[in-house]
Amino acid sequence: MTDNLQISRASLGDWPTIQGWCADEGWNPGDHDGPCFLAQDPEGFFIGRIDGEPVSAVSVVNYGDSFSFLGLYLVKPEFRGRGLGLATWQTALPRAGERTVGLDGVVAQQDNYRKSGFTYAHRTVRHVGTLIPDGSGSAAVPLAAADLGDVIDYDALCFPAPRPVFLREWFAAPGHVGRALIVDDRLVGYGVIRSARDGCRVGPLFADSRVYAEVILDALVAGFGGEAVAVAIDVPETNGEALAMVGELGMEPAFEVARMYTGPVREIDHGKVFGVTTLELG
């Protein structure tokens, strides 16, 4: 079967197919994720076809010279078990070159990732729930009111590589609402909420403390425009305050993934990461 597989770069025109597969797997993709994802690395997305029919996908997105992130590893259900996913993976992975590669792996695939040289770093657990803004977020400002350079610098404290190209697209995308918190003329956190197939997704949510994270989260929910908003946040277990926060908000764990790497990554401030940006691109 793999002899008939034709693998090529995926384009924005292929995104509805990949997004649909994500939705079918329960990943709840954002409504406007595709253009933001491809903006970071247009050559980093791959799709496999048999007789013109899309059957597999994977992305290997490069951030600078030292870090890459693998995601969107998908095979159409009726074509699974035939080696198509592995063939697509093997075609795409060399794009990372000598970079350390990260991924967020579902439980069922983690052993396979270990066999491919990935080492477990920590769990991330998606929490879902309905949030009602209480006005505590009034101190936060629209992200556009903050200095973009400060936001990009802050983000770099919380992610393994600088990503200004991605962030500019992420902040400006339709259906994305961003809020920042500035205390004593200093940025102490920011976040983005976006429309998704089911409710909305929060990511990133980065802040100096739980108190600040709660202010930003309330502002995001209020800014999304609703008295009660169905929200999903991907919370890394490396931040105990983040787990306590979503627990006290009544959010429930929905599923988990493991952050895994093929090599060393630069140190980030895990205490600032209350919600990761996206499981697909990190």
Side-chain angles (χ1 to χ4, degrees):
M1 177 64 77
T2 58
D3 291 342
N4 299 322
L5 182 67
Q6 300 294 318
I7 301 168
S8 62
R9 292 293 203 283
S11 69
L12 194 57
D14 295 310
W15 180 252
T17 297
I18 298 172
Q19 183 184 41
W21 291 345
C22 290
D24 291 343
E25 293 299 314
W27 295 358
N28 194 23
D31 290 337
H32 300 281
D33 287 356
C36 302
F37 288 177
L38 270 76
Q40 172 59 37
D41 184 359
E43 302 297 311
F45 297 80
F46 297 79
I47 191 162
R49 293 180 172 87
I50 293 178
D51 297 329
E53 179 183 359
V55 298
S56 61
V58 73
S59 60
V60 179
V61 172
N62 292 338
Y63 293 95
D65 296 329
S66 61
F67 185 64
S68 185
F69 202 85
L70 188 151
L72 299 168
Y73 185 38
L74 295 153
V75 177
K76 196 173 181 180
E78 58 265 39
F79 289 91
R80 291 175 183 170
R82 307 181 189 182
L84 304 177
L86 180 59
T88 309
W89 167 296
Q90 290 172 338
T91 297
L93 193 57
R95 168 143 183 85
E98 298 301 314
R99 297 170 180 86
T100 291
V101 182
L103 60 76
D104 285 315
V106 298
V107 173
Q109 290 290 335
Q110 287 168 19
D111 283 343
N112 288 332
Y113 296 144
R114 289 187 181 94
K115 293 174 185 176
S116 295
F118 287 81
T119 300
Y120 177 93
H122 62 79
R123 287 196 314 154
T124 296
V125 182
R126 176 164 297 175
H127 286 73
V128 298
T130 299
L131 301 184
I132 301 172
D134 60 14
S136 61
S138 60
V141 300
L143 199 54
D147 182 273
L148 179 59
D150 289 346
V151 176
I152 290 172
D153 289 345
Y154 194 95
D155 186 88
L157 301 174
C158 306
F159 189 75
R163 47 180 181 171
V165 172
F166 171 79
L167 291 177
R168 290 187 178 96
E169 294 291 329
W170 198 244
F171 298 161
H176 289 213
V177 174
R179 293 291 183 266
L181 186 61
I182 300 170
V183 176
D184 296 331
D185 296 323
R186 184 176 67 86
L187 181 71
V188 297
Y190 88 94
V192 175
I193 191 170
R194 73 192 193 276
S195 58
R197 286 292 182 94
D198 181 14
C200 63
R201 301 268 301 276
V202 169
L205 179 57
F206 299 157
D208 282 6
S209 70
R210 173 178 169 178
V211 171
Y212 293 156
E214 289 175 342
V215 170
I216 297 166
L217 180 58
D218 187 79
L220 292 173
V221 175
F224 199 70
E227 294 184 359
V229 179
V231 175
I233 309 175
D234 297 316
V235 182
E237 67 174 2
T238 47
N239 189 337
E241 286 295 296
L243 292 171
M245 180 186 76
V246 293
E248 291 184 21
L249 288 171
M251 303 183 77
E252 298 286 341
F255 69 87
E256 68 178 71
V257 296
R259 175 61 61 90
M260 306 177 80
Y261 296 111
T262 58
V265 293
R266 71 176 191 178
E267 186 63 28
I268 69 170
D269 191 338
H270 293 284
K272 286 181 165 60
V273 182
F274 286 79
V276 303
T277 307
T278 162
L279 301 182
E280 294 82 9
L281 262 70

